[in-house]
Amino acid sequence: MFKDLSPNLKSSITRSITQTFEQYMSDIEWSEEKFSIDDFIASWREYITTKALWYSKIPDDMKLDPDFHEDLAKRINEVIARVLGEPPSEEQIVAIQMMQEQLNTHYEYDCKAEAVYVETLLKNHLEM
């Protein structure tokens, strides 16, 4: 069912999953121990029902269809895997390394999105 949606709608859904996942991970400080798929899905559900403009464009009968939910779950898993699999850029690695040396810290990060979180955290520490 997901594949039957327009390319723009699929793109909007994917973007909302990505943004919500990255925000959720930032909220839990990228802690694997704090991660809960149920909590993430709840925050994504809140986002799509209160802020996403695309949500109202999906017919109600489709929203209630179990096949659509299964397709969405697959898409969510794909997006999360893509976010977690994207390596940090060389620029991020260099910038983080320099700030960590200045601050005498050792934050670890495994993907580009987590590197954005660490970089922001370190910049905030430097501005204090």
Side-chain angles (χ1 to χ4, degrees):
M1 293 189 97
F2 184 82
K3 65 181 178 356
D4 297 331
L5 298 173
S6 73
N8 287 342
L9 202 49
K10 289 190 281 192
S11 177
S12 294
I13 292 170
T14 299
R15 240 186 341 274
S16 72
I17 295 166
T18 302
Q19 291 170 342
T20 307
F21 179 70
E22 290 176 0
Q23 182 60 55
Y24 170 76
M25 292 304 292
S26 181
D27 290 346
I28 63 166
E29 301 171 329
W30 281 84
S31 168
E32 291 178 32
E33 292 79 32
K34 293 178 184 176
F35 180 79
S36 161
I37 191 68
D38 293 332
D39 290 346
F40 163 67
I41 296 297
S43 33
W44 185 65
R45 185 176 298 122
E46 180 178 334
Y47 172 81
I48 66 172
T49 57
T50 61
K51 296 178 184 157
L53 300 175
W54 58 263
Y55 188 70
S56 62
K57 296 178 183 168
I58 296 178
D60 288 340
D61 60 326
M62 186 180 281
K63 290 176 191 171
L64 298 173
D65 192 309
D67 290 338
F68 181 66
H69 287 270
E70 185 177 324
D71 288 349
L72 275 179
K74 287 177 186 172
R75 188 67 188 143
I76 288 168
N77 288 335
E78 292 167 0
V79 170
I80 289 173
R82 182 181 44 82
V83 169
L84 296 176
E86 186 175 3
S89 69
E90 286 298 318
E91 294 82 13
Q92 286 177 306
I93 293 169
V94 169
I96 290 170
Q97 182 67 28
M98 288 174 42
M99 287 186 280
Q100 295 219 80
E101 286 174 11
Q102 276 183 285
L103 295 166
N104 196 29
T105 60
H106 185 73
Y107 290 100
E108 294 185 17
Y109 51 96
D110 296 318
C111 65
K112 186 173 191 161
E114 187 175 15
V116 168
Y117 169 77
V118 169
E119 196 170 5
T120 302
L121 186 70
L122 294 170
K123 282 179 184 175
N124 289 342
H125 283 296
L126 284 171
E127 292 174 358
M128 290 178 152

